[in-house]
Amino acid sequence: MTVLLWILAALALPFVLFAAWMAKVFLKEFFSGNAEAALEAEEAAATGAEKAAASAALGLLPAERQNTDSAGPLTPETTAALAAVRGGDWRPAADLMAAVGRDWERRSALTFRLADTAADDDAWLLAWESERPEDPDAAVVRARSAVILAWRVRGGQRAEHTTREQSDGFHRTLLQAREEIARAAALNPDDPTPYIAEIWLALGLGYPNAKMDDLWTKITARAPHHYEAHFSALQYWCAKWRGSERLATEFAERAAADAPAGSLLTALPLIAHFEHDDSDDTAADNTPEMVARVEAALKDAAAADPAHPRLPELRHLLAYYLHLQGRNEAAVEHFRLVDGHVDALPWRYRSDKAEYFCQVRDTAVMEAGAAR
């Protein structure tokens, strides 16, 4: 028996030695890999800190100090009106809406801000409507607020991740919003703002293309080169909603070509490209066509009214694409002009838009410095 055990032990010894050698190799590779990963992480953190320091040296703000609610600073009058309505006083908002008058770009921008606030708490809007029941300004704020509420009910997930309850509530609230939109349009027939709000019903309710064309005719008859209207309509024509990449690009190119300098509609081809670009590198961003689009947008931004409420949105896009095209000094100039506010494309779709904005900005700053 003892001899047999010795024989078995002798036979097993090579396997034991082999297993021990394999364990040694595994442990060596495991700890070596962990050490390498740790070193890479440490180097990435050091690089990130160096980039952030370079941006800080230019006076640019860190992620935690970026405003995530707007693309650029609001006017003092808008800020004051929003503060007043949050405190329950609607009169400064009513006065500001009256002062904006037929400046449709500013009217739609202000209406959205007020409507978004009313979607949180509309007590002040109810008081306004009670005192001035036929006021078209209150009516258009109500209409936009109803649309915002509908999209909040739906949530921000894709359709396959939206519950049946969310979907039903979304469509029910959109149908109610349609009544508010019709009322606002009737009270102020020249105003394109109610119809711009209706574009978001077109997305949610699935307007057929012909019905969207009819709605678009109503809008352009009142404001042919309205930025927010074009941005919203472009979303409708994107593949993710009711169109396709071809339809979105054709719409964007046509609008940009027909628009006067300073209208900012050169942003549309950039947005159409962004919405449909699934590539993992920057080759698609550096084609002659994309370089020409960025050049056109640069000229458009230079020709625009510095107080145009949508100018920061174009500057965010310019900063991004200038960086992707390796034109980092120019990119940094646009990053400077929008720094502090990050609610714009291309950052808006990220879960942490401030972090993404700073990551791209800091890289552009570093690369611009290295090129000098």
Side-chain angles (χ1 to χ4, degrees), residues 205-273:
L205 296 177
Y207 281 18
N209 291 174
K211 188 172 182 179
M212 178 62 188
D213 288 337
D214 291 341
L215 174 59
W216 191 241
T217 298
K218 294 176 183 177
I219 293 170
T220 53
R222 292 163 173 80
H225 306 296
H226 195 287
Y227 182 91
E228 186 187 352
H230 281 81
F231 173 86
S232 301
L234 178 57
Q235 294 297 311
Y236 173 91
W237 291 113
C238 283
K240 64 183 179 180
W241 286 108
R242 307 298 171 184
S244 66
E245 181 175 1
R246 178 183 64 81
L247 289 172
T249 301
E250 288 177 354
F251 173 83
E253 295 286 5
R254 186 168 57 249
D258 294 342
S263 66
L264 309 184
L265 295 190
T266 52
L268 298 179
L270 298 177
I271 296 170
H273 171 78

Side-chain angles (χ1 to χ4, degrees), residues 64-118:
E64 62 269 19
R65 294 184 59 191
Q66 301 291 334
N67 182 311
T68 59
D69 295 326
S70 64
L74 303 179
T75 65
E77 296 83 4
T78 300
T79 301
L82 291 172
V85 297
R86 291 187 186 108
D89 184 3
W90 57 269
R91 293 184 185 279
D95 292 344
L96 185 55
M97 287 285 286
V100 167
R102 296 174 63 87
D103 185 334
W104 302 131
E105 287 283 2
R106 288 178 171 80
R107 179 176 176 82
S108 69
L110 175 59
T111 299
F112 177 82
R113 290 289 168 189
L114 293 170
D116 193 47
T117 305

Side-chain angles (χ1 to χ4, degrees), residues 52 54-62 66 332 335-336 339 361-362 365:
S55 291
L58 295 178
L60 303 177
L61 301 175
Q66 301 291 334
V332 170
F335 274 118
R336 282 178 183 270
D339 193 61
R361 180 204 65 191
D362 295 351
V365 169

Side-chain angles (χ1 to χ4, degrees), residues 25 42 50 56 67 99 112 195 199 201 208 232 288 297 302 305-306 310 319 331 335 340 353 372:
V25 169
E42 186 178 334
E50 185 180 358
N67 182 311
F112 177 82
Y195 299 105
I199 294 174
L201 267 70
S232 301
D305 176 357
R310 305 295 176 174
F335 274 118
K353 48 193 168 184
R372 292 193 185 103

Side-chain angles (χ1 to χ4, degrees), residues 160-211:
E160 60 267 25
H161 301 300
T162 302
T163 67
R164 178 64 180 271
E165 291 75 13
Q166 286 175 308
S167 182
D168 290 347
F170 174 54
H171 287 88
R172 186 167 56 251
T173 311
L174 281 180
L175 292 173
Q176 295 169 355
R178 187 158 60 185
E179 297 177 7
E180 300 290 354
I181 288 171
R183 180 172 181 270
L187 288 171
N188 191 356
D190 292 340
D191 185 7
T193 311
Y195 299 105
I196 295 169
E198 190 177 349
I199 294 174
W200 295 92
L201 267 70
L203 270 71
L205 296 177
Y207 281 18
N209 291 174
K211 188 172 182 179

